[in-house]
Amino acid sequence: MNADEVAAIIEREIPEATATVTTPRDPDDDSHYAVDVVSPAFEGQSLVDQHQLVHDALGEHLTRDIHAIELTTDTPE
């Protein structure tokens, strides 16, 4: 799984989301990602709930394909 695939899953699963996914440790390390997600779906939700939406969107990929994510979430300005 690569960064573009991770972004596509998030954008498909979370309404109106824009996901930016990078590999912060090593460009060739495709199991650690930095993920920045912006979506109006996060409005009024706690940070924990926002992060849970992203985790739910990624589902089993978090245990099979992705070792770790550094996650930031926000609503559009």
Side-chain angles (χ1 to χ4, degrees):
M1 169 165 280
N2 64 41
D4 290 337
E5 292 169 322
V6 173
I9 291 168
I10 293 168
E11 290 176 350
R12 181 178 68 238
E13 297 295 324
I14 299 176
E16 300 178 55
T18 301
T20 304
V21 181
T22 60
T23 52
R25 294 182 176 195
D26 178 349
D28 295 323
D29 181 357
D30 61 356
S31 65
H32 292 81
Y33 296 102
V35 180
D36 181 31
V37 184
V38 177
S39 174
F42 299 144
E43 187 137 351
Q45 294 195 19
S46 70
L47 184 61
V48 171
D49 289 338
Q50 293 174 22
H51 286 207
Q52 189 62 51
L53 277 175
V54 177
H55 284 237
D56 290 346
L58 292 171
E60 288 189 17
H61 293 291
L62 281 174
T63 57
R64 290 186 318 197
D65 306 314
I66 300 169
H67 177 72
I69 60 173
E70 299 170 21
L71 180 59
T72 58
T73 55
D74 204 354
T75 56
E77 294 188 38

